[in-house]
Amino acid sequence: MLLDKHFESHSYSFWHLFKDDQKNILDQVLSQTMESVESDFQQIYDNNYPLISAIKTYGMKLPRPLQTTVDYIVNTRLLREFKSEKPDTNEIKRLLTEVQRMNVRLNYTRLEFALTQRIDQLMKQVQENPTKTENIDLLIKLLEVVESSKLETDFWQAQNIAFRMQQDSYEEMRQHADKGDGQATKWCEKFEKLYNNLNLKV
């Protein structure tokens, strides 16, 4: 047991420690355990994916252990992408396709919270550096990819930021665009698309 190994070289045990120290050690051991569990699930998933895919293609029901494996891997990968500073929208799209195809049971609470946080954070980055269009492009793609999923998110913070930007940054760029500035025109087009994807109207 990992907890026992942690104290092999010590003359005291886990139960001799203060509760805060106990919690810190439990967190460390749990983290190591979860990494091992994920690795085991990943190996089962990779080794049996052709079988899993064939079973679903023929409309058969996956045995519970295999379905549990698929559920765990897809949820874990989606959560990792949503927590990433630069989510891979192609990977998210692929995983959401797997959700439909494999009847994956999603952990909506964790995924929706992580997705909302990521969109809010990306929107803050857009506000801090409006001319960096890579962040706008990423947000547009991310919102488009998750739109057709069953994930329900609350974008009110991102919407508030976008609304404020529409009143200042967008209006300033719009004036430049009206004077024939091509770069400003492209920026306005991107911002309008993002604004629309956040269910707002310019």
Side-chain angles (χ1 to χ4, degrees), residues 44-45 48 51-52 55 62-71:
I44 295 170
Y45 181 84
N48 294 280
L51 173 62
I52 293 170
I55 289 173
L62 282 177
R64 190 66 231 167
L66 288 180
Q67 185 66 57
T68 299
T69 299
V70 173
D71 290 350

Side-chain angles (χ1 to χ4, degrees), residues 2-15:
L2 286 174
L3 192 58
D4 294 330
K5 289 182 179 179
H6 192 91
F7 289 92
E8 281 180 346
S9 61
H10 300 287
S11 60
Y12 55 89
S13 74
F14 173 78
W15 305 109

